[in-house]
Amino acid sequence: MMAADDITSSRRMRTDSAGESERSCGFVQPGGHGGSGDTWRRHIVRQLKNRDRNQSDSFQDLIHFYSRLLDKSSWTNGILSRRPFTESSSVSSLLNQNDQLKKTTGELAFQVLELQQQIKIKLLVLDEQDSSLLAERRRLAGAFDVRQELQGRAVQVQEENGALKMEYDVLLERQKGAETRLREEKVREEQMLEDMIHLKQKAASRMNSRNERRSRAREANLQKELQSAARSKVAIDSSSSAPTSRSTSPKKEDQDKSAEPRHTRLFRSASATSPRILTSIRELFDRKRRGHSVCSLEEDQMSPVGICLSARVPARALQVLEAHEQGINTVRFSSSSDLLATGGTDRVIKLWEVRAGSLTHRATLEGSTEGITCVDFDSAGCRILAASYDKSALLWRLDDSVPKLTLTGHSRKVTAARFSPLLHQVVTGSADRTIRLWDLHRAACVQVVDVASYCSDLVCSENFIISGHYDHKIRVWDTRAVSCVQEIPAQGRVTSLDLSSDHRQLLSCCRDDCLQLVDLRRWSHERSSFRAEGFKCGSDSTKAVISPDGCFLAAGSADGSVYIWNLSTGGLETRLPDKHSSSISAVSWSPSGEYVVSVDKSRRAVLWSDI
């Protein structure tokens, strides 16, 4: 109760001091009446109350504890005043209570100090939070500025995108128009090409009919001449060759002539069976037949081909040379064995003369726009055929470096091209899954055979075509019926085919690192397999060959070695290493049986022999 009175008195003192300050400042008008002075007084009193309230709130806990302490103290004093002091136990208990009160008062004072220290710490933390809040507000204002700038840039980019979209739409419309015009031009081009071909065919037919009429007229004239010559009579005077006597009188001579019978006989100025007439008729028909042909009379003649009785197994390299500027894909000997052709990815065919165990460059055949995949000589050895990556096959004469004929029609690369045993025909196989038969007289495709798989290689015999494919099958085609008569299964993807010189055995090389020899004389097609340790088929176009005597097989491996098998024993005859630095792509055995040539992907060609 004393504490409450003290607080009330302190408040009164503050109010009185405030009133005195007001009066001293002259805010109160004389007479003590209300007005502006009362207003200022109330305002100052309100401010003082607010200050008192704010200050008392900070020490409210202390006041509360102090009031409790005062209450306990007054309660203790009242107890002591009501009880007598004669009892020693009561006095001791009271003393203990006083000690406890003192302890409690000290603890409360310590708690007050701790609370004040915590208040200071919290005030510091609050200041730090205020400063960080101010920094965050500044950052937020900067972020707002950046956001506004980005929004402006986004609007600008959207406008630019809109302009680009409009330009794109315009270009798209132009492209569509250009594509439409291109299609129209292509249609016109195809139509013009068809019209031109039609006109060419008409002109060719007119020319052929004109030439036919001329040849018939010449034949009729020749027949008439022959008939008139056969009917004509020639008088022969038998005495014209005898010596006459100058003493004989003309009169007597006339009488003698008139008296002697006149000797006459039929004389044929030219016989229809005479060699001269036969030669002229043959030349006439040859000129007629070759009027529109790409072949010459010399090319039509078959040259004799030597027969190899025993092939030599090569034992050493006679010559190693860099034959091309890029990798070599194919190699082939001519039928006379004195000429070699190589073709590679550098788009040329090189001809080499084989003399005395060495290769000498003879000529370079150009004209292909892409790499060469296969080469083949005709039976006469005066023409060469090549397959190319440019979807065509090309024909050269050996005395001309410019192609004499280009066969186009395949839609993908041509992988094989061979001369047919029939004159003036060639066969091509392609990655477009077709096999085509071409007539060189007309320079046109006469047969197209659709195949179910990629054609990797083919060989030709009379009336038959044998092709190897990626679907692990070898197909036999009858050109007369234009149909597949038999399918021979293989153990892997077929990379090459080769026929023996007697056309009785077929060699196939597959990607399963195995060579198979098929006997074509038997309907069951008995097969023999040839493998060797270390032999590996290096690519999808690796070429293997049969020796000209049919006793050996030769193939190049991915390790750069040439492997040769013996057909009689079925085992490996020999292995020729260390001359190639990369995978061997093709091997060719000369028809004479004397030489073997191997080529690889690193431009190298090696001539092998047993000499």
Side-chain angles (χ1 to χ4, degrees):
M1 295 299 293
M2 291 179 64
D5 294 338
D6 292 338
I7 292 171
T8 304
S9 62
S10 64
R11 289 181 178 176
R12 289 176 181 175
M13 291 175 63
R14 291 174 185 172
T15 305
D16 295 338
S17 62
E20 291 177 357
S21 62
E22 289 177 358
R23 287 192 295 270
S24 63
C25 292
F27 290 110
V28 181
Q29 293 181 358
H33 299 285
S36 62
D38 294 336
T39 303
W40 284 105
R41 187 183 299 111
R42 285 194 301 271
H43 180 69
I44 292 173
V45 170
R46 191 183 303 112
Q47 288 181 352
L48 291 174
K49 288 181 178 180
N50 290 331
R51 186 184 66 178
D52 186 35
R53 189 182 301 110
N54 293 332
Q55 290 179 356
S56 64
D57 290 339
S58 300
F59 298 95
Q60 192 68 34
D61 296 335
L62 182 62
I63 293 171
H64 178 69
F65 286 124
Y66 185 71
S67 298
R68 289 177 61 186
L69 182 61
L70 291 177
D71 291 339
K72 288 181 180 182
S73 177
S74 62
W75 178 71
T76 304
N77 291 331
I79 293 174
L80 291 174
S81 62
R82 285 193 299 271
R83 290 185 180 185
F85 292 95
T86 58
E87 297 178 1
S88 60
S89 61
S90 299
V91 172
S92 62
S93 62
L94 290 174
L95 291 175
N96 291 330
Q97 290 179 357
N98 289 330
D99 295 335
Q100 290 178 357
L101 289 173
K102 289 180 182 179
K103 291 180 181 179
T104 304
T105 304
E107 290 177 356
L108 292 174
F110 182 74
Q111 289 180 359
V112 169
L113 292 176
E114 285 184 349
L115 291 173
Q116 290 178 351
Q117 189 69 24
Q118 290 178 1
I119 290 171
K120 290 181 181 180
I121 293 171
K122 289 182 179 181
L123 289 174
L124 292 175
V125 172
L126 182 62
D127 293 337
E128 291 178 357
Q129 291 179 352
D130 290 337
S131 60
S132 62
L133 179 62
L134 181 60
E136 292 295 330
R137 286 178 178 175
R138 292 175 181 173
R139 289 178 57 190
L140 181 61
F144 280 135
D145 295 337
V146 173
R147 179 173 175 270
Q148 291 179 357
E149 182 181 357
L150 291 176
Q151 286 179 349
R153 290 179 59 186
V155 172
Q156 183 179 0
V157 169
Q158 288 178 356
E159 293 176 355
E160 293 177 355
N161 288 339
L164 291 175
K165 181 66 168 56
M166 294 177 62
E167 294 179 1
Y168 172 76
D169 293 337
V170 173
L171 292 175
L172 187 60
E173 293 296 331
R174 290 175 60 185
Q175 181 189 3
K176 290 181 179 178
E179 288 179 351
T180 303
R181 291 192 298 272
L182 178 61
R183 286 193 294 269
E184 292 176 355
E185 291 296 329
K186 284 185 176 179
V187 172
R188 288 180 58 191
E189 179 184 359
E190 292 176 357
Q191 187 65 33
M192 292 177 65
L193 183 60
E194 291 178 358
D195 294 342
M196 185 178 66
I197 293 174
H198 186 62
L199 293 175
K200 290 283 187 182
Q201 289 176 352
K202 285 185 177 180
S205 62
R206 287 196 300 270
M207 183 66 71
N208 290 335
S209 62
R210 190 181 300 113
N211 292 334
E212 186 72 22
R213 288 195 298 271
R214 289 178 180 176
S215 63
R216 288 178 180 176
R218 282 195 294 267
E219 291 176 5
N221 293 332
L222 181 59
Q223 189 68 23
K224 289 179 181 180
E225 291 178 1
L226 292 174
Q227 291 177 0
S228 61
R231 295 193 190 95
S232 64
K233 297 180 180 181
V234 179
I236 299 176
D237 189 358
S238 60
S239 62
S240 62
S241 60
T244 57
S245 176
R246 293 183 180 181
S247 60
T248 307
S249 61
K251 185 176 181 180
K252 189 175 182 180
E253 290 176 2
D254 295 339
Q255 291 176 356
D256 295 337
K257 289 179 182 179
S258 61
E260 293 178 1
R262 181 170 295 177
H263 299 279
T264 62
R265 70 182 180 89
L266 294 177
F267 177 78
R268 296 182 181 179
S269 59
S271 173
T273 58
S274 63
R276 183 171 62 86
I277 295 301
L278 290 177
T279 303
S280 62
I281 293 174
R282 188 181 299 111
E283 290 176 354
L284 176 63
F285 281 98
D286 288 337
R287 284 196 301 270
K288 174 188 174 185
R289 181 166 54 87
R290 297 193 305 271
H292 299 281
S293 174
V294 297
C295 305
S296 63
L297 181 61
E298 291 80 2
E299 292 169 351
D300 296 343
Q301 296 174 352
M302 300 291 290
S303 63
V305 179
I307 299 175
C308 176
L309 299 178
S310 178
R312 300 178 181 178
V313 178
R316 67 185 186 91
L318 300 181
Q319 186 179 3
V320 179
L321 72 159
E322 301 291 332
H324 286 253
E325 295 180 358
Q326 298 180 20
I328 308 174
N329 299 325
T330 180
V331 60
R332 194 79 172 181
F333 274 98
S334 66
S335 58
S336 59
S337 301
D338 59 352
L339 196 61
L340 180 75
T342 57
T345 55
D346 55 358
R347 302 177 294 180
V348 298
I349 295 176
K350 290 192 176 183
L351 300 179
W352 309 86
E353 290 184 352
V354 185
R355 292 181 180 177
S358 64
L359 299 177
T360 305
H361 182 258
R362 172 178 170 179
T364 300
L365 306 181
E366 301 177 347
S368 176
T369 58
E370 294 188 26
I372 304 297
T373 60
C374 178
V375 293
D376 191 26
F377 283 95
D378 67 343
S379 58
C382 57
R383 291 176 297 177
I384 187 168
L385 180 68
S388 173
Y389 279 95
D390 62 1
K391 308 174 187 177
S392 68
L394 300 95
L395 181 69
W396 286 270
R397 289 176 60 102
L398 297 185
D399 55 357
D400 191 0
S401 62
V402 179
K404 186 176 181 180
L405 185 64
T406 302
L407 305 176
T408 58
H410 287 286
S411 60
R412 295 181 64 185
K413 68 178 180 180
V414 181
T415 55
R418 304 288 184 187
F419 283 99
S420 173
L422 303 177
L423 291 177
H424 322 306
Q425 286 187 353
V426 296
V427 182
T428 58
S430 171
D432 63 0
R433 300 183 179 184
T434 62
I435 297 173
R436 293 175 180 260
L437 182 64
W438 305 82
D439 186 359
L440 297 182
H441 278 316
R442 295 183 292 170
C445 178
V446 295
Q447 286 184 7
V448 179
V449 179
D450 293 324
V451 195
S453 178
Y454 183 115
C455 178
S456 58
D457 198 7
L458 57 85
V459 291
C460 301
S461 63
E462 189 174 357
N463 299 325
F464 289 99
I465 300 172
I466 305 175
S467 58
H469 302 273
Y470 277 10
D471 62 352
H472 305 185
K473 290 183 181 179
I474 301 171
R475 292 177 170 85
V476 182
W477 306 87
D478 188 348
T479 57
R480 296 166 295 184
V482 196
S483 61
C484 180
V485 296
Q486 193 170 6
E487 289 185 355
I488 304 173
Q491 296 181 357
R493 180 180 293 181
V494 180
T495 65
S496 71
L497 297 175
D498 191 33
L499 273 178
S500 61
S501 57
D502 56 3
H503 290 189
R504 294 180 178 179
Q505 292 178 319
L506 175 68
L507 173 66
S508 65
C509 180
C510 302
R511 286 309 301 269
D512 63 342
D513 305 330
C514 176
L515 273 66
Q516 283 190 348
L517 192 66
V518 181
D519 190 351
L520 299 177
R521 293 173 295 179
R522 300 185 180 182
W523 182 254
S524 59
H525 294 320
E526 295 181 0
R527 289 176 288 178
S528 302
S529 299
F530 298 87
R531 298 179 183 270
E533 183 179 358
F535 174 75
K536 184 175 180 61
C537 184
S539 69
D540 290 340
S541 59
T542 301
K543 309 297 182 186
V545 294
I546 307 176
S547 64
D549 61 351
C551 296
F552 302 97
L553 307 178
S557 175
D559 61 358
S561 301
V562 178
Y563 289 75
I564 298 177
W565 288 266
N566 192 320
L567 295 185
S568 60
T569 62
L572 185 67
E573 181 73 16
T574 184
R575 175 176 173 269
L576 307 174
D578 303 332
K579 295 301 178 182
H580 291 279
S581 58
S582 63
S583 175
I584 297 177
S585 54
V587 177
S588 181
W589 209 312
S590 65
S592 63
E594 186 177 2
Y595 301 107
V596 173
V597 173
S598 57
V599 295
D600 61 22
K601 299 294 185 181
S602 62
R603 307 176 297 173
R604 184 172 295 179
V606 181
L607 178 65
W608 306 87
S609 183
D610 64 339
I611 301 175

